[in-house]
Amino acid sequence: MTETDRHPTTGRVTLAEVAGVAGVSVGTASKALNGSGRMRPETRQRVLDAARRMDFQPNEAARSLLGGRTWTVGLITTDGIGRFSTPVLLGAEDALGAGKISVLLCDTRGDAIRERHYVDALLARRVDGIIVTGRRTDSREPLNGLQGVPTVYAFTPSTDPADMSVASDDEGGARLAVEYLIGSGRRRIAHITGPAHHAAARHRARLTEDLIGQASLELSGGRVHFGDWSEAWGRRAAHTVLRTAPDTDAFFCGNDQIARGAADTLREEGHRVPEDVAVIGYDNWDTMALASRPPLTTVDMNLPEIGRIAALRLLDAIDGRTVSGVETVPCRLVIRDSA
């Protein structure tokens, strides 16, 4: 074969060239290489032998022609900051990259019109599947008009039980924190968390109260302190708890920002962390956890693993296997200096 037999731009062997050497049409060559279509076994083998001898390597367009796939997956997120969606995306890319699948990232910024636009754009590009994620663990309404494109929801589950969702085990994460505090001898545990209308805050608060009650203890201060996900709230709430329950010996906080604020208040008011009062956060957000004084013990939600498993379930769906329900990913407790 001469240089002129190769693709004029890339120099690669083309599907048409393989078909010519095998003495079949391009369509027959495509079916033979894809393992589809009805043909005589010797015809299929002749095409396969020709492709192997010519070192045929299909480009992305050819792969799409051969398999009816574009080898692309859309990832739709509402988390413009990327604090939660970026680790999920990285985990998904690790799993998808092994199959040489590209990811198209679409940030809706929480806007329904923008989300619809991105869904339509991804469908126009004939993506093989879609992963949907966001900044909260609250369930969301499923995407509409997907035209049968496989879709998996990661971190932010779908409200439709027929959909496939991969979520963090929020209750398991809270259990790790509370049982660690009780196991280390803490008996006056306060819980400061985010807004009560957020599922993460509600779920963690409920389990915290249950576990403390099962240990025949009472929540320090007598109630859960709901507020917002900020350092400022952590400082204010910790001050309130210490004023009403000065014998508090531990804080379990709904996220690392709250925990860092609580640690600031404890230090300013002369309490040693963790000698006098232990502090545990949630999220294992390095920016907060490592910059806190002292560095925070915190619950890690294993976000990359959520992304990886979501990608694997999406690949299952793309391959025609039925996937549905909610699969939870265990959290882990990262021990540092605050507890």
Side-chain angles (χ1 to χ4, degrees):
M1 184 171 58
T2 68
E3 287 299 318
T4 56
D5 294 321
R6 295 183 178 275
H7 190 282
T9 303
T10 66
R12 300 167 74 174
V13 175
T14 67
L15 181 61
E17 291 166 359
V18 172
V21 170
V24 299
S25 69
V26 172
T28 298
S30 171
K31 292 175 183 177
L33 292 171
N34 189 38
S36 63
R38 303 176 72 176
M39 65 187 70
R40 294 167 59 178
E42 55 266 34
T43 300
R44 189 185 304 277
Q45 191 59 49
R46 192 164 68 249
V47 174
L48 294 174
D49 289 344
R52 186 164 46 252
R53 288 197 311 271
M54 300 168 72
D55 192 26
F56 173 62
Q57 299 291 332
N59 59 23
E60 294 306 314
R63 292 175 79 194
S64 179
L65 175 63
L66 293 174
R69 293 175 58 176
T70 60
W71 303 90
T72 56
V73 164
L75 190 143
I76 296 177
T77 178
T78 61
D79 182 21
I81 298 174
R83 176 178 158 198
F84 296 109
S85 65
T86 295
V88 172
L89 171 62
L90 294 175
E93 281 191 321
D94 284 345
L96 296 171
K100 298 182 179 179
I101 296 174
S102 300
V103 176
L104 305 176
L105 178 62
C106 303
D107 177 13
T108 71
R109 306 177 198 173
D111 184 280
I113 295 176
R114 190 183 295 269
E115 179 175 273
R116 184 68 252 169
H117 164 75
Y118 281 132
V119 170
D120 291 341
L122 292 173
L123 295 178
R125 286 175 174 264
R126 298 177 53 245
V127 294
D128 297 325
I130 296 173
I131 296 175
V132 183
T133 188
R135 67 169 64 92
R136 288 167 56 173
T137 60
D138 298 71
S139 297
R140 57 153 293 157
E141 291 297 316
L143 297 178
N144 294 317
L146 291 174
Q147 302 175 15
V149 174
T151 301
V152 173
Y153 297 81
F155 187 66
T156 301
S158 169
T159 55
D160 187 345
D163 288 332
M164 181 70 226
S165 299
V166 182
S168 174
D169 181 8
D170 244 358
E171 294 191 356
R175 183 181 297 276
L176 286 173
V178 175
E179 290 185 346
Y180 179 85
L181 290 172
I182 293 174
S184 60
R186 309 293 175 166
R187 293 295 179 266
R188 297 287 292 158
I189 303 169
H191 185 47
I192 307 171
T193 191
H197 63 274
H198 282 211
R202 292 195 309 275
H203 294 165
R204 296 166 196 170
R206 184 181 68 248
L207 190 73
T208 297
E209 289 185 288
D210 289 346
L211 289 171
I212 288 175
Q214 290 168 21
S216 300
L217 301 173
E218 293 183 358
L219 202 61
S220 186
R223 65 181 178 88
V224 172
H225 292 263
F226 291 103
D228 57 59
W229 305 110
S230 69
E231 289 180 72
W233 166 241
R235 287 192 290 270
R236 293 197 308 273
H239 179 75
T240 299
V241 169
L242 293 173
R243 190 174 65 247
T244 59
D247 57 347
T248 297
D249 61 6
F251 283 91
F252 170 39
C253 302
N255 75 352
D256 291 336
Q257 289 167 279
I258 295 172
R260 182 174 172 179
D264 287 347
T265 291
L266 288 166
R267 186 175 62 254
E268 290 165 3
E269 297 193 9
H271 300 277
R272 298 173 301 163
V273 178
E275 292 84 355
D276 301 328
V277 184
V279 178
I280 292 183
Y282 207 104
D283 292 343
N284 194 27
W285 186 21
D286 285 354
T287 301
M288 284 290 155
L290 297 180
S292 179
R293 297 170 54 197
L296 293 173
T297 292
T298 180
V299 177
D300 189 309
M301 292 186 286
N302 280 331
L303 296 176
E305 181 68 2
I306 290 175
R308 189 187 73 84
I309 292 176
L312 294 177
R313 297 299 170 265
L314 184 64
L315 292 174
D316 288 340
I318 291 171
D319 288 340
R321 291 187 282 275
T322 300
V323 294
S324 63
V326 178
E327 181 172 350
T328 57
V329 174
C331 299
R332 63 190 181 94
L333 187 65
V334 180
I335 307 297
R336 295 196 181 96
D337 298 335
S338 67

